[in-house]
Amino acid sequence: TRVRRAKADPFRRGAAELESLCSWVRAKYPPNQCAVLEAAVTKHLEAARQAAEGQELNPRRRIRFFRNASLLERAMSNLDAAEAQLLNFAPPDYVLGQMPSLLRHVQSHVVPTDPRRQEFERICRSLGLNDPDHALQDTDEADRARKIKIVCDERGSIVTAVRGASSAALREQLRVRSFRNVLAITTVLMTALAAALALLGFFRPTMIPLCFAPEESGEAVVVCPTAQSAPFSTSPTDTGAPQADLEAVDIDDRIEDAAKPQDVMVVELIGLTAAAVAAAAAIRGFRGSSERLRVPIALVLLKLPTGAITAFLGLLLMRGQFVPGLSALDTSAQILAWALVFGYAQQLFTRLVDRQGQTVLDSVNGADKPQPTPSPP
């Protein structure tokens, strides 16, 4: 599809760039003992190109959603391996010119306490490269020869640090994608649950009625989200029967008459609307990211079914007299107003997910940032 091709374009361009670099190195500096490394680079680039283009499986599979993610990860891993192999046999003056960008790559993905990063930074300091923006300047031929000798002697450590940074970058992508997948699955399940409750309320409106029966001066009225009954007396009409039994039968009959199939749907719609407002307000807290995995969108979508369910559950708790003093709402408008409040209150639960999502996004290219302390079990 066009979406998969758009995602694969950066990998195809990266493969073409590395292939051109490999051809340039081979033509300008013909190596004598690097045929194996050249063949490895070619194989990695071919594997990356095949994964990016998403070639058909044999036998074919109908479900391709999760396969596309693994193909992109395979393409990225093979490109990283090809780049590392290219650094293994590239001329030292080429590696020397790449050191500023390689330093930035290592500092973005490897934590400062990692020995590979510390060794790489030591090599950069010996080359006179103190930070990613500092240009390599050669004062004379002797100084340049000294730097080239350092690159030749430390090539193994350089390639090891770069390969470790590339592996860390891939793991960052995997963490973001895994978090996005969990959000998507949770959103689907919450949406299915909200739909199931709405269907249950539509076909069996009296099974879980969201109705209240406020009583005053011996009279009561059954109030539901979309309708209410006429006032009726709660005084016993038969002196030989207990008053509680008569009231229970009378209220149940009135609830059955007043409860409508659309009650749960209306409550969930109000809760969803309130959650949408909360999601729009929460957008200001997202700092965004250059990643294309759409984690902020997944966080916003999770709020919508959550708001519908919290509106339903909140009214259910009030009907069960869980909240003292709020067990008997007087009008349908009050019921809908509380549904609005409970729908917006989903922010109390989803803000923790928002915080975790921003932490996951900040971990990309954020090796220099303070690492979160793991919470105790």
Side-chain angles (χ1 to χ4, degrees):
T1 62
R2 286 184 295 179
V3 175
R4 188 175 69 250
R5 289 174 184 172
K7 291 181 179 179
D9 280 342
F11 300 105
R12 284 198 292 263
R13 289 195 297 267
E17 180 182 357
L18 289 176
E19 190 173 22
S20 301
L21 285 174
C22 185
S23 301
W24 174 78
V25 169
R26 186 170 56 247
K28 191 171 183 180
Y29 305 95
N32 297 324
Q33 300 177 350
C34 296
V36 176
L37 295 178
E38 289 182 24
V41 170
T42 304
K43 289 181 180 179
H44 283 306
L45 293 178
E46 183 63 26
R49 190 174 289 108
Q50 290 177 359
E53 292 174 355
Q55 295 186 357
E56 293 291 338
L57 292 177
N58 187 17
R60 295 184 178 181
R61 295 179 184 176
R62 294 184 178 180
I63 302 177
R64 301 177 55 92
F65 177 75
F66 295 102
R67 176 176 178 257
N68 290 337
S70 62
L71 285 176
L72 295 180
E73 292 160 11
R74 179 189 171 199
M76 183 184 298
S77 178
N78 277 282
L79 287 179
D80 294 338
E83 183 180 13
Q85 296 289 7
L86 181 61
L87 291 175
N88 271 316
F89 69 89
D93 55 348
Y94 170 80
V95 180
L96 180 63
Q98 294 295 314
M99 289 299 290
S101 60
L102 296 180
L103 175 59
R104 178 57 185 164
H105 180 56
V106 171
Q107 290 180 335
S108 295
H109 301 290
V110 182
V111 294
T113 55
D114 193 296
R116 295 169 298 181
R117 171 170 170 174
Q118 294 174 353
E119 177 66 13
F120 191 86
E121 290 177 339
R122 181 193 65 79
I123 296 172
C124 290
R125 285 193 298 270
S126 66
L127 293 173
L129 184 62
N130 299 322
D131 59 75
D133 299 324
H134 186 277
L136 284 169
Q137 297 178 355
D138 301 324
T139 56
D140 50 32
E141 289 297 330
D143 185 61
R144 181 173 179 81
R146 180 186 65 83
K147 293 177 180 179
I148 289 180
K149 184 178 184 303
I150 293 175
V151 170
C152 292
D153 295 340
E154 304 289 352
R155 188 190 292 264
S157 299
I158 293 173
V159 175
T160 300
V162 172
R163 191 70 181 98
S166 300
S167 299
L170 180 58
R171 288 194 296 272
E172 291 169 2
Q173 293 289 328
L174 291 177
R175 283 195 295 269
V176 176
R177 182 173 288 111
S178 174
F179 183 76
R180 190 274 316 268
N181 291 342
V182 170
L183 286 178
I185 293 173
T186 305
T187 302
V188 170
L189 294 178
M190 296 288 282
T191 303
L193 178 60
L197 289 174
L199 290 175
L200 178 64
F202 184 81
F203 291 107
R204 300 289 298 274
T206 58
M207 178 171 286
I208 313 179
L210 299 178
C211 300
F212 299 83
E215 182 180 353
E216 185 179 358
S217 303
E219 286 190 345
V221 58
V222 173
V223 180
C224 296
T226 59
Q228 65 181 45
S229 68
F232 59 94
S233 174
T234 57
S235 302
T237 56
D238 185 357
T239 56
Q243 179 177 353
D245 293 343
L246 292 175
E247 286 179 5
V249 173
D250 196 16
I251 289 178
D252 287 341
D253 292 340
R254 297 291 181 163
I255 289 178
E256 186 174 356
D257 294 336
K260 302 300 178 183
Q262 64 269 22
D263 284 349
V264 177
M265 291 185 183
V266 170
V267 167
E268 289 190 349
L269 181 61
I270 295 294
L272 187 146
T273 304
V277 175
I283 290 177
R284 63 183 176 85
F286 294 142
R287 292 192 293 274
S289 172
S290 59
E291 302 304 313
R292 302 173 59 183
L293 297 176
R294 301 181 178 88
V295 171
I297 297 178
L299 290 171
V300 168
L301 292 179
L302 177 63
K303 297 177 184 295
L304 303 183
T306 305
I309 293 176
T310 54
F312 172 82
L313 294 179
L315 289 176
L316 199 61
L317 289 175
M318 291 182 65
R319 188 174 186 274
Q321 299 182 357
F322 185 81
V323 182
L326 294 175
S327 56
L329 302 182
D330 297 331
T331 62
S332 299
Q334 288 186 4
I335 296 177
L336 298 181
W338 277 104
L340 186 71
V341 171
F342 286 125
Y344 195 92
Q346 54 77 35
Q347 189 68 17
L348 298 176
F349 306 99
T350 57
R351 68 174 180 176
L352 301 177
V353 184
D354 295 341
R355 189 177 305 169
Q356 180 63 25
Q358 193 61 58
T359 301
V360 171
L361 290 177
D362 289 342
S363 68
V364 180
N365 299 331
D368 281 330
K369 299 176 182 176
Q371 300 299 310
T373 344
S375 56

